Amino acid sequence: MRASMMNSQVSQSCGKSPLGARLGSATGSSFRGCGVSSANRLARKSSRALTNEVRAIVEKPLFSETARQEQNVERFVGNSVAAIVLGGGAGTRLYPLTKSRAKPAVSIGGAYRLVDIPISNCINSGVNKIYVLTQFNSTSLNRHVGRTYNRGVTFSGKRNAGFVEVLAASLSPSSEKEWFQGTADAVRQYGWMLEDVRNRKIEHVLILSGDHLYRMNYMAFVQEHLENNADITIATIPCGYDRASDFGLMKVDENSSVTEFAEKPKGEELEKMRVDTTSLGLDKDRAKDMPFIASMGVYCFKKDVLLNLLNKEFMNANDFGSEIIPGAKTLGCSLKAHLFDGYWEDIGTVRSFFDSNLNLAKEGCEFEFYDPEAPIYTSPRGLEPSKLLDCKISESIISHGCKLEKSTIQNAVVGLRSIVSGGCTIKDAMIMGADKYESQEEVDARLANGGVPIGIGENCLISNTIVDKNARIGKNCTIVNKDGAEEKMCEEEGYIIRSGIVVIMRGATIPDGTVI
């Protein structure tokens, strides 16, 4: 009797649902020939299964129809956009950090590479066709991109729907030039990729720089480009007198159309480029401090316009900022400015690279590598957490796989696999770490032969310094730029001073007791 009552209750709870009818029938037949306890267990099990199934039917859809339509639009636009990340030239302003690696492969923030910034922005924005152009020391860059992004960018639920591909400068029998002559020439030499049948859906091309630190939604940038029906849209930032002469400046009208250009102006030419930046949305106080509009070196082109400018109108032009963009204006192309009012930093020099890294370690930093909605990606190295043995650490970043003993670390960035021995003081410094660990046997053998193992030896004082990867610093060393030199070339001794900053070169050995 009890089993029959349960069967009746289960059937009633489903009403006239076919699913409920099937489950009720199956439950009734399963009770036949069973004891009461067995019937109870089966009834409870069927009831739980039924509850789960009904919930799946009546729950609210995850996305509304409007949200689905918006998502489909973003997917369509994303599939029509390709991004080209410019790796830059020889990176002389970042030398010696670029002596054995391309500029986009330089480490930043302890665990990342500069190239991770634009690539991550692309992935987070739904731009899934990404090319990285480089010509100098591309081995390290190739390796990093391959390990980090080689499975293809996952987009709209499809694996391998996108790619990140490094395109290095190469020679061919038809080549008249040996290397890329500039940013525009680099894109020109690989322009045939955009015309390939596999890229026939591409209608717009993003041109990005590989040495900037910022987080940007490129899809919003592209959407504005489409809404304005612009031939070229230029991403811009407001800036003040202290930095204006370092960038290309422009003037815009009330419709954000670009009316005038000036490449790194100074003096009277700079004054002529003043604008009222309240028209871009800045309040009066900020507009007073930042009366200039500077180009970020981030562009969105219609593909046909880009190829026409590079291959027909300006076949000998080598640079986007000083030649292609102003030339397009003279031809009557529609140029629009897109205001980016977030954190942005050019990492083109040793000084800016050093300052930007140390700022990342400070409380209240304007840029964070992790954002739950738009994280910056990098290679998953699988390193263990760092070991900090009796250390005093303040305002610092300590990356994975480090071992620090009885040391004081203040306002510093300590990179992957860094070894810091006891009694050290590291202040206002960047330690890039190492590519590998040395075994205890290797360390003992080096010490026995009077050598120096990878890492920083005991009782060292390091300040105002960048220590590149795999450097070996002996015991009792003082590296602080004691003479206050602004520039000094000492490559044979394993270091260079740039803009007052000591740079210990990659793989260099600094003997015990050295004072710099």
Side-chain angles (χ1 to χ4, degrees):
M1 178 67 68
R2 187 177 301 171
S4 299
M5 291 175 62
M6 287 184 177
N7 181 32
S8 175
Q9 291 171 356
V10 170
S11 300
Q12 291 173 9
S13 69
C14 296
K16 296 182 180 180
S17 166
L19 175 62
R22 289 198 301 272
L23 286 173
S25 175
T27 303
S29 62
S30 66
F31 288 166
R32 295 189 186 100
C34 297
V36 174
S37 59
S38 298
N40 287 342
R41 286 195 299 271
L42 287 170
R44 286 195 296 270
K45 183 175 181 181
S46 297
S47 179
R48 286 195 299 270
L50 174 63
T51 302
N52 291 336
E53 292 289 348
V54 172
R55 283 177 182 170
I57 292 172
V58 301
E59 280 182 352
K60 183 180 178 180
L62 183 62
F63 297 107
S64 66
E65 187 61 30
T66 301
R68 289 184 184 277
Q69 292 175 357
E70 292 176 351
Q71 192 178 54
N72 288 335
V73 170
E74 289 185 1
R75 290 175 180 174
F76 174 78
V77 174
N79 283 330
S80 69
V81 178
I84 298 177
V85 180
L86 301 173
T92 54
R93 296 187 302 162
L94 268 177
Y95 191 87
L97 301 177
T98 52
K99 182 178 181 179
S100 60
R101 59 169 78 89
K103 183 160 54 173
V106 174
S107 297
I108 187 170
Y112 301 85
R113 306 286 188 105
L114 283 172
V115 74
D116 291 328
I117 308 299
I119 292 178
S120 297
N121 284 337
C122 285
I123 295 172
N124 295 328
S125 302
V127 177
N128 68 331
K129 300 175 181 66
I130 307 164
Y131 296 102
V132 182
L133 300 188
T134 186
Q135 66 177 335
F136 292 98
N137 300 320
S138 59
T139 302
S140 177
L141 180 64
N142 278 326
R143 185 187 304 119
H144 176 75
V145 171
R147 289 176 177 176
T148 308
Y149 309 102
N150 62 351
R151 293 187 177 182
V153 181
T154 301
F155 185 69
S156 68
K158 300 178 183 179
R159 290 188 61 80
N160 296 322
F163 54 82
V164 181
E165 185 174 346
V166 177
L167 302 176
S170 59
L171 301 179
S172 67
S174 60
S175 295
E176 296 181 0
K177 300 175 183 177
E178 293 184 356
W179 297 108
F180 297 152
Q181 302 300 302
T183 55
D185 185 60
V187 176
R188 179 187 295 112
Q189 290 196 34
Y190 273 106
W192 61 269
M193 296 282 291
L194 299 175
E195 299 178 291
D196 189 89
V197 65
R198 293 173 298 178
N199 292 324
R200 62 187 181 279
K201 294 183 179 180
I202 293 176
E203 298 177 6
H204 307 277
V205 181
L206 287 168
I207 305 295
L208 311 172
S209 178
D211 58 358
H212 296 161
L213 181 62
Y214 65 113
R215 179 179 279 104
M216 181 177 181
N217 182 358
Y218 294 144
M219 195 53 66
F221 179 43
V222 173
Q223 289 283 11
E224 184 174 311
H225 172 76
L226 294 174
E227 290 169 4
N228 292 327
N229 192 28
D231 294 318
I232 306 170
T233 302
I234 306 168
T236 63
I237 56 168
C239 69
Y241 278 95
D242 57 333
R243 306 177 65 189
S245 294
D246 296 333
F247 305 113
L249 303 182
M250 65 191 73
K251 288 185 175 181
V252 298
D253 62 17
E254 64 277 6
N255 297 317
S256 296
S257 295
V258 178
T259 59
E260 190 175 343
F261 287 98
E263 184 68 14
K264 299 180 180 180
K266 293 180 174 62
E268 293 183 3
E269 294 299 320
L270 178 62
E271 288 296 328
K272 292 179 181 179
M273 297 307 296
R274 284 177 59 97
V275 296
D276 181 9
T277 49
T278 56
S279 62
L280 298 175
L282 275 68
D283 59 46
K284 291 184 178 180
D285 290 337
R286 291 188 66 210
K288 183 178 179 180
D289 294 335
M290 292 186 264
F292 301 102
I293 302 174
S295 170
M296 294 169 58
V298 173
Y299 313 107
C300 185
F301 284 82
K302 287 182 179 178
K303 184 179 77 170
D304 294 342
V305 171
L306 174 64
L307 295 175
N308 179 62
L309 291 172
L310 293 176
N311 298 327
K312 295 181 180 179
E313 301 294 345
F314 303 102
M315 296 177 60
N316 297 317
N318 294 324
D319 186 70
F320 278 108
S322 62
E323 297 176 280
I324 296 296
I325 301 296
K329 178 64 179 174
T330 61
L331 291 177
C333 293
S334 171
L335 272 67
K336 295 287 186 176
H338 169 85
L339 177 67
F340 176 74
D341 196 19
Y343 177 86
W344 179 86
E345 191 64 51
D346 183 5
I347 313 291
T349 66
V350 169
R351 169 56 67 181
S352 62
F353 173 79
F354 183 70
D355 290 342
S356 296
N357 271 280
L358 295 192
N359 286 336
L360 292 171
K362 293 181 179 178
E363 185 176 358
C365 173
E366 295 183 68
F367 183 87
E368 296 284 350
F369 279 93
Y370 179 72
D371 182 305
E373 295 184 358
I376 303 299
Y377 305 101
T378 193
S379 177
R381 300 174 179 89
L383 295 172
E384 65 177 352
S386 293
K387 295 181 180 179
L388 313 178
L389 308 177
D390 194 18
C391 295
K392 183 179 180 180
I393 300 174
S394 61
E395 288 193 313
S396 297
I397 294 174
I398 311 297
S399 302
H400 286 80
C402 300
K403 183 177 181 181
L404 283 59
E405 300 182 50
K406 299 180 180 179
S407 295
T408 299
I409 315 293
Q410 182 180 348
N411 189 29
V413 176
V414 181
L416 300 163
R417 305 181 190 88
S418 290
I419 306 296
V420 179
S421 302
C424 291
T425 297
I426 298 175
K427 180 181 179 181
D428 302 329
M430 181 179 182
I431 314 298
M432 287 193 179
D435 291 320
K436 65 175 184 177
Y437 293 110
E438 286 184 319
S439 67
Q440 191 58 50
E441 291 77 10
E442 290 175 316
V443 171
D444 292 340
R446 282 191 177 275
L447 292 174
N449 293 324
V452 179
I454 290 178
I456 300 173
E458 296 176 353
N459 304 316
C460 289
L461 171 60
I462 299 177
S463 181
N464 196 41
T465 299
I466 298 172
V467 179
D468 206 342
K469 284 191 171 183
N470 305 324
R472 304 170 185 271
I473 299 177
K475 301 176 182 179
N476 305 309
C477 292
T478 299
I479 305 175
V480 295
N481 189 9
K482 66 180 181 65
D483 296 328
E486 191 67 18
E487 303 288 333
K488 190 175 182 180
M489 301 296 290
C490 300
E491 286 197 50
E492 293 183 358
E493 299 174 39
Y495 73 94
I496 289 176
I497 298 178
R498 298 289 304 271
S499 302
I501 300 165
V502 181
V503 182
I504 304 299
M505 300 179 67
R506 181 185 179 97
T509 298
I510 306 299
D512 295 351
T514 298
V515 177
I516 300 176

